[in-house]
Amino acid sequence: MPFKQTAILGSVPLYTILLVYFIIIAYPLFWMIINSFKTTEEIFSNSWSLPQNWLISNYIDAWNTGISGYFFNSTLVTLSTCLLTVFLSALGAYGLTRFDMKGKNLLLIFCMGGMMLSPQVSLVPLYKLIQALGIHDTYLALILPYVAYRIPITILLIRAAFLEVPKELEESAFLDGCNTWTVFTKIFIPLNLPILLTTIVLTAYFTWNEFMFALIFVDSEALKTIPAGLMQFRDALQTNWGVLLAGLMISAAPIIVLFLFMQKYFIRGLASGSVKG
């Protein structure tokens, strides 16, 4: 048998496994999409078929009933968290890779230790801290903990990419009269955009879907994000499952679209720093 045919036959099991895995992942999303256009009665009577009448009004009702406010809050919190996390992590990674200082390795280990701290374990002291700072039931009650929990992994990812930047490039920039800030913004940031965009995707995914902090640290209905808001959404809709599923689709759409547009940068960013760091 020719080598090419042998290679094709040898890859059949792999593609079969990938196809089965894709179906397992994609079908629940497909089920949610088709049922978001149905009435509650049709969902319970025939949830596995296409809708008899595609009810676009489910999405309009979901948006007008409260999703619009939750969507705005999630967008504001997610954007703020992403910008702060990536900016602070990039600064920290730059300092850990380019500055010679005492205790640098200890600082890196301390940063890595942040990944071992579970949010559930720190919930009570974090709640008391937020109360003491007077930021309970505000956007900051969500943004600051989200930033704190995402910085450790984000610093490690960006640091691995920064290690690949040649020191000769930095030295030549200093000889041309550039200062540290200029080198950071004009050389390190443009050269490492893939990893920065990767960390934005990872941070956005975590922030947009986080539920526990959003439920406990915010009480006002006007400040709730989508995960916590949808918990109240069911009672407000009196178990109108078609509208509720439409709300879930609205909440899932931004992350799906973000990943589709960023997937090439996401893969390239994850591969960055795979040799060093």
Side-chain angles (χ1 to χ4, degrees), residues 40-215:
T40 301
E41 294 76 12
E42 189 178 358
I43 291 174
F44 282 102
S45 62
N46 197 0
S47 64
W48 301 102
S49 65
L50 294 176
Q52 295 180 356
N53 296 312
W54 294 78
L55 298 178
I56 306 296
S57 59
N58 283 350
Y59 285 83
I60 299 175
D61 293 341
W63 185 262
N64 293 333
T65 305
I67 284 292
S68 57
Y70 304 146
F71 191 93
F72 171 80
N73 294 333
S74 288
T75 302
L76 178 61
V77 171
T78 301
L79 286 176
S80 302
T81 302
C82 288
L83 291 176
L84 277 174
T85 300
V86 174
F87 177 71
L88 294 177
S89 298
L91 285 176
Y94 181 68
L96 288 172
T97 55
R98 290 316 195 221
F99 294 158
D100 292 327
M101 54 185 175
K102 292 182 179 180
K104 182 171 68 173
N105 293 331
L106 184 62
L107 183 61
L108 178 60
I109 294 173
F110 177 78
C111 180
M112 294 173 62
M115 294 188 295
M116 298 185 290
L117 187 63
S118 172
Q120 290 80 5
V121 173
S122 61
L123 184 60
V124 174
L126 189 57
Y127 181 81
K128 291 183 178 180
L129 178 61
I130 288 175
Q131 291 279 9
L133 292 174
I135 59 174
H136 180 262
D137 201 22
T138 65
Y139 289 125
L140 286 177
L142 298 179
I143 294 173
L144 294 183
Y146 291 164
V147 171
Y149 273 100
R150 298 313 298 172
I151 278 180
I153 181 62
T154 307
I155 281 184
L156 290 181
L157 290 174
I158 298 177
R159 173 183 172 273
F162 280 7
L163 285 172
E164 295 185 351
V165 177
K167 289 188 177 181
E168 293 78 9
L169 188 63
E170 183 181 6
E171 292 170 355
S172 62
F174 283 128
L175 290 175
D176 289 338
C178 296
N179 55 29
T180 302
W181 177 254
T182 305
V183 171
F184 173 72
T185 55
K186 301 297 184 181
I187 296 178
F188 278 79
I189 296 299
L191 288 178
N192 293 280
L193 277 180
I195 191 62
L196 296 179
L197 293 175
T198 298
T199 56
I200 287 176
V201 172
L202 293 174
T203 304
Y205 178 80
F206 167 82
T207 306
W208 189 271
N209 295 304
E210 201 283 326
F211 174 75
M212 185 176 62
F213 288 173
L215 182 65

Side-chain angles (χ1 to χ4, degrees), residues 236-265:
L237 297 172
Q238 299 179 352
T239 65
N240 188 334
W241 291 100
V243 180
L244 179 58
L245 289 172
L248 290 172
M249 281 305 306
I250 293 174
S251 69
I255 296 300
I256 295 174
V257 172
L258 178 65
F259 183 79
L260 289 176
F261 278 98
M262 296 289 189
Q263 59 179 328
K264 64 178 181 179
Y265 300 105

Side-chain angles (χ1 to χ4, degrees), residues 206-229:
F206 167 82
T207 306
W208 189 271
N209 295 304
E210 201 283 326
F211 174 75
M212 185 176 62
F213 288 173
L215 182 65
I216 296 175
F217 296 159
V218 171
D219 296 331
S220 302
E221 190 70 20
L223 297 178
K224 287 187 179 296
T225 55
I226 282 181

